[in-house]
């Protein structure tokens, strides 16, 4: 009886802070609707600023534990990003992504660690832990801004792909290095490489197995809510299973998200289900990001930051310098190895857009309590994350303007709306022709409606033609839209034939053919 009462009291005490966090987050989300000035600030950064305001007046909403971020918050964020990342785009940019995500993590760790060791005289093991904690990029707000402003999709793919995979690399590196100050591990290249391949290999294997298993399972039925629930279960189950087997849960979730988003959603889900699942994950990512970024700001301890300001400054400089070496050095190597060139302007944007976020915070908080330098590590990581979010995050848009990399997303949206309305009017006209002989419809009324619809079709056609004439770049956009429609129609037809039992062939070769259409 006593145990039950304690459990109920614990649930109630945790529920109240959670609802408070949610209420504050949603309130912040509505601010841009009432105050236009706030629209200039990305939503996630606005949450950090509000959290900082709460921390300044010493209002602590909830304690942010590493388990909360890594086990509860991180899987849905990783899965949603991987679900929306197209394999064809990832394949085209895999060389720069691999270079930035693997070698970039090593360069970042060493750059920060040596700077702290030689300039601030921190123990090398402590400096390596700080470097590992800050080696993962988390450009959530930057990617959102890219999409809003229509920045080249190739840049978004590189930045998002790097972030997805270097999260896993950073967690693996941190887990290998955390034993050094405790004396439970040695800095041996052979042992580190061996453990690295085991951890990564297990993560990839678990993610691939679960992803393809669920993909083939969803071919056998059409239950949108069940399929949506399966994706949610797969995100958490993949993470937990990979961690239990000694692998990287982060890498496993990224792999299962890529498999389900690019393969499972096409062969096992009809268009309606794909829309339902995608919208569900968009909501979940918004929900989790709202909580995480608010709590990052709310967890700041200003007194500790003041005591460690010199170390924070050196860390920031080391991190920025290491990021420059990563982006410009490896970018030059990538350009030499591939036909897709990343220009200096684009590299500058990738360099400054390498923000740090939730993964860095979680890793810092997971430093063992027995380490005497734990509080300093946390303070430094929080200070650097705060700098990247507020200084780098808030200057990305002006940098885009200076580099002349702003896209034409508003124009594309206008053109897409015209085409959508034109498509709708053509369907209305087809329906009118089908019901022309329906009893009870007066010929005059029918002719009037037909004239209205034809007039609207003509007006929209002229508007679309004028936009294409004034902005020739829209022709390529129209071709891309048609290519995606053709691929979707082919994939949906294969899936329908499998579900109806008319086709028993494995879908992988058919989907390969569909992807070839997309790349032509």
């Amino acid at each position: 009886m006593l145990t039950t009462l304690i459990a109920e009291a614990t649930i109630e005490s945790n529920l109240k802070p959670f609802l408070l966090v949610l209420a504050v987050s949603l309130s912040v989300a509505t601010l841009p609707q009432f105050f236009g000035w706030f629209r200039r600030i990305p939503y996630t950064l606005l949450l950090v600023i509000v959290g900082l305001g709460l921390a300044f007046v010493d209002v602590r909403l909830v304690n942010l534990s590493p388990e909360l971020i890594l086990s509860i918050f991180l899987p849905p964020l990783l899965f949603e990003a991987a679900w929306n990342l197209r394999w064809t785009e990832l394949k085209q940019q895999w060389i720069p992504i691999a270079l930035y995500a693997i070698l970039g993590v090593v360069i970042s760790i060493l750059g920060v660690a040596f700077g702290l060791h030689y300039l601030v005289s921190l123990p090398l093991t402590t400096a390596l832990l700080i470097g590992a904690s800050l080696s993962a990029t988390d450009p959530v707000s930057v990617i959102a801004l890219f999409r809003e402003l229509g920045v080249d999709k190739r840049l978004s793919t590189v930045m998002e792909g790097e972030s997805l995979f270097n999260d896993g690399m950073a967690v693996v590196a941190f887990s290998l290095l955390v034993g050094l100050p405790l004396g439970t591990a040695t800095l041996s290249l052979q042992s580190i490489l061996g453990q690295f391949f085991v951890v990564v290999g297990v993560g990839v294997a678990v993610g691939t197995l679960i992803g393809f298993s669920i993909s083939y399972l969803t071919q056998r039925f059409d239950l949108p809510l069940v399929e949506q629930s399966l994706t949610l279960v797969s995100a958490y189950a993949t993470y937990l299973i990979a961690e239990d087997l000694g692998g990287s849960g982060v890498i496993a979730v990224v792999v299962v998200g890529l498999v389900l988003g690019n393969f499972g959603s096409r062969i096992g889900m009809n268009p309606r289900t794909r829309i339902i699942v995608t919208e569900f994950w968009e909501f979940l990512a918004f929900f989790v990001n709202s909580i995480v970024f608010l709590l990052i700001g709310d967890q700041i301890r200003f007194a500790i930051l003041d005591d460690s300001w010199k170390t924070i400054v050196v860390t920031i400089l080391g991190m920025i310098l290491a990021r420059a070496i990563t982006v410009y050095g490896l970018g030059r190597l990538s350009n030499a190895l591939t036909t897709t060139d990343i220009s200096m302007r684009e590299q500058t944007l990738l360099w400054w857009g390498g923000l740090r976020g939730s993964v860095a915070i979680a890793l810092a908080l997971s430093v063992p309590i027995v380490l005497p330098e734990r509080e300093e590590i946390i303070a430094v990581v929080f200070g650097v994350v705060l700098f990247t979010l507020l200084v780098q995050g808030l200057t990305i848009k002006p940098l885009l303007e200076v580099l002349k990399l702003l896209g034409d997303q508003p124009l594309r949206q206008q053109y897409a709306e015209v085409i959508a309305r034109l498509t709708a009017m053509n369907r209305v006209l087809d329906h009118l022709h089908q019901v022309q002989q329906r009893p009870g419809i007066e010929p005059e009324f029918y002719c009037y409606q037909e004239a209205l619809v034809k007039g609207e079709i003509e007006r929209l056609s002229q508007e679309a033609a004028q936009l294409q004439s004034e902005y020739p770049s829209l022709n390529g956009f129209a071709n891309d839209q048609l290519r995606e429609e053709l691929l979707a129609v082919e994939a949906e037809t294969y899936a329908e034939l499998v579900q109806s039992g008319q086709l028993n062939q494995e879908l992988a070769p058919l989907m390969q053919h569909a992807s070839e259409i997309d790349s032509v």
Side-chain angles (χ1 to χ4, degrees):
M1 181 66 178
L2 181 60
T3 304
T4 304
L5 291 175
I6 293 175
E8 291 177 353
T10 302
I11 293 173
E12 184 177 354
S13 62
N14 290 329
L15 182 60
K16 289 180 179 178
F18 173 76
L19 292 176
L20 179 60
V21 170
L22 188 58
V24 173
S25 301
L26 296 179
S27 298
V28 173
T30 63
L31 285 178
Q33 304 302 320
F34 296 100
F35 306 99
W37 185 86
F38 286 110
R39 295 174 187 170
R40 304 176 186 176
I41 305 175
Y43 168 62
T44 50
L45 300 187
L46 192 59
L47 285 165
V48 174
I49 294 171
V50 172
L52 281 173
L54 294 174
F56 183 76
V57 296
D58 202 27
V59 175
R60 307 296 174 180
L61 298 174
V62 69
N63 290 324
L64 193 61
S65 67
E67 293 79 12
L68 194 65
I69 294 179
L70 289 176
S71 301
I72 299 178
F73 290 158
L74 197 56
L77 292 178
L78 292 171
F79 186 94
E80 188 270 341
W83 170 275
N84 289 308
L85 194 59
R86 298 278 66 86
W87 174 251
T88 51
E89 299 167 2
L90 189 64
K91 187 169 59 175
Q92 292 171 357
Q93 306 298 330
W94 76 269
I95 289 181
I97 289 173
L99 290 174
Y100 290 156
I102 299 175
L103 295 181
V105 167
V106 176
I107 294 172
S108 178
I109 293 173
L110 295 179
V112 171
F114 285 122
L116 289 174
H117 181 62
Y118 290 108
L119 297 179
V120 190
S121 300
L122 275 184
L124 184 58
T125 53
T126 303
L128 285 170
L129 276 183
I130 294 176
S133 300
L134 292 168
S135 59
T137 57
D138 186 18
V140 174
S141 54
V142 176
I143 295 296
L145 193 62
F146 280 11
R147 292 172 180 168
E148 177 186 341
L149 299 176
V151 175
D152 188 352
K153 200 171 184 180
R154 184 169 56 95
L155 273 182
S156 298
T157 300
V158 171
M159 184 170 282
E160 197 162 9
E162 177 200 2
S163 174
L164 278 174
F165 289 103
N166 73 11
D167 281 352
M169 296 298 107
V171 173
V172 171
F174 182 87
S175 64
L176 295 175
L177 294 172
V178 74
L180 294 177
L182 297 174
T184 58
T186 56
L187 200 59
S188 165
L189 181 62
Q190 184 177 358
S191 63
I192 287 177
L193 286 177
Q195 190 174 350
F196 172 81
F197 284 115
V198 169
V199 170
V200 173
V202 170
V204 171
V206 171
T208 302
L209 179 62
I210 294 179
F212 280 107
S213 298
I214 293 178
S215 297
Y216 284 110
L217 179 64
T218 53
Q219 289 183 54
R220 308 305 168 192
F221 53 80
D222 182 20
L223 299 170
L225 294 180
V226 173
E227 294 172 70
Q228 173 182 295
S229 302
L230 279 174
T231 60
L232 180 61
V233 170
S234 70
Y236 285 104
T238 302
Y239 181 88
L240 296 175
I241 292 173
E243 290 289 325
D244 289 343
L245 294 177
S248 170
V250 173
I251 292 176
V253 173
V254 170
V255 172
V256 78
L258 283 171
V259 171
L260 290 176
N262 290 273
F263 184 74
S265 66
R266 292 183 180 272
I267 70 168
M269 298 180 183
N270 63 42
R272 179 172 58 92
T273 301
R274 282 206 302 274
I275 292 173
I276 291 173
V277 175
T278 300
E279 290 180 346
F280 165 75
W281 280 103
E282 287 178 358
F283 155 73
L284 196 58
F286 165 80
F287 183 79
V288 173
N289 271 320
S290 299
I291 296 173
V292 169
F293 280 91
L294 177 67
L295 292 182
I296 286 176
D298 186 54
Q299 296 296 304
I300 296 296
R301 301 294 192 272
F302 291 99
I304 299 178
L305 292 183
D306 185 55
D307 295 337
S308 305
W309 71 269
K310 291 183 180 179
T311 308
I312 293 172
V313 170
V314 171
T315 305
I316 291 171
L317 294 176
M319 180 193 66
I320 291 177
L321 179 60
R323 180 69 181 171
I325 295 172
T326 296
V327 172
Y328 293 114
L330 298 181
R332 186 172 182 178
L333 176 60
S334 171
N335 290 341
L337 296 174
T338 64
T339 56
T340 57
D341 184 69
I342 302 178
S343 67
M344 287 297 294
R345 290 184 303 155
E346 293 170 332
Q347 290 178 25
T348 301
L349 188 60
L350 291 172
W351 162 63
W352 193 247
L355 278 60
R356 271 56 172 180
S358 55
V359 175
I361 297 295
L363 292 178
L365 291 173
S366 65
V367 172
I369 298 177
V370 296
L371 284 182
E373 300 89 357
R374 181 177 186 271
E375 290 302 319
E376 185 173 11
I377 292 173
I378 293 175
V380 171
V381 171
F382 266 87
V384 174
V385 169
L386 198 60
F387 171 85
T388 65
L389 291 176
L390 296 184
V391 177
Q392 292 180 251
L394 292 175
T395 53
I396 284 292
K397 188 172 181 179
L399 182 63
L400 283 168
E401 295 172 350
V402 171
L403 296 174
K404 298 180 179 179
L405 289 174
L406 284 175
D408 55 357
Q409 183 62 22
L411 178 63
R412 290 188 174 196
Q413 182 64 31
Q414 180 185 356
Y415 180 76
E417 289 176 0
V418 171
I419 296 300
R421 290 164 59 194
L422 184 58
T423 302
M425 288 297 102
N426 277 310
R427 290 185 181 180
V428 170
L429 185 61
D430 290 340
H431 184 72
L432 267 175
H433 292 160
Q434 293 173 12
V435 301
Q436 184 175 7
Q437 303 301 325
R438 181 183 295 177
I441 297 179
E442 298 177 359
E444 295 81 2
F445 180 76
Y446 174 86
C447 292
Y448 173 71
Q449 293 296 329
E450 185 182 37
L452 285 178
V453 173
K454 286 183 176 180
E456 183 67 7
I457 289 174
E458 183 178 356
R459 187 189 69 80
L460 290 170
S461 298
Q462 291 176 355
E463 185 176 352
Q466 183 178 355
L467 285 172
Q468 286 182 322
S469 175
E470 293 178 1
Y471 306 99
S473 62
L474 288 176
N475 293 323
F477 174 62
N479 292 335
D480 291 339
Q481 281 190 316
L482 177 59
R483 188 181 296 114
E484 291 179 4
E485 290 173 13
L486 293 175
L487 178 63
V489 169
E490 183 178 1
E492 288 159 14
T493 303
Y494 293 148
E496 289 172 4
L497 291 174
V498 169
Q499 290 174 351
S500 65
Q502 300 179 53
L503 183 65
N504 294 321
Q505 180 182 349
E506 294 292 334
L507 287 188
L510 300 175
M511 292 307 300
Q512 177 64 32
H513 174 64
S515 64
E516 288 172 0
I517 291 180
D518 186 48
S519 60
V520 171

